[in-house]
């Protein structure tokens, strides 16, 4: 197993959700990742799984 860490802007996180969860432009969804929030994706069994989204527990 390999780990990859990417530090990015919220736009990339929202795009990943749209792509990996197959959300189309016709669906209604609101994603607003916070500054310093952690979003974790896991790839196993040949599919992507969301491990955590917008986790800010490390801040407090």
């Amino acid at each position: 197993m390999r780990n990859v860490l990417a530090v990015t802007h919220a736009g990339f996180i929202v795009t990943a959700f749209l792509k990996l969860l197959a959300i189309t432009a016709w669906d209604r969804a609101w994603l607003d990742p916070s500054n310093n929030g952690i979003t974790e994706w896991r790839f196993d069994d040949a599919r992507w799984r969301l491990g955590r989204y917008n986790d800010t527990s490390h801040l407090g």
Side-chain angles (χ1 to χ4, degrees):
M1 177 188 348
R2 295 182 303 176
N3 294 323
V4 176
L5 171 68
V7 178
T8 184
H9 293 277
F12 182 83
I13 294 169
V14 171
T15 301
F17 267 86
L18 296 175
K19 179 70 174 169
L20 297 176
L21 299 179
I23 298 172
T24 66
W26 302 108
D27 292 330
R28 292 192 175 262
W30 180 260
L31 298 170
D32 190 21
S34 66
N35 292 333
N36 300 312
I38 296 174
T39 299
E40 176 186 7
W41 290 96
R42 298 176 183 173
F43 187 75
D44 54 313
D45 299 328
R47 67 181 188 163
W48 287 98
R49 298 172 192 260
L50 181 61
R52 56 186 164 160
Y53 167 70
N54 213 22
D55 181 0
T56 56
S57 63
H58 61 286
L59 297 176

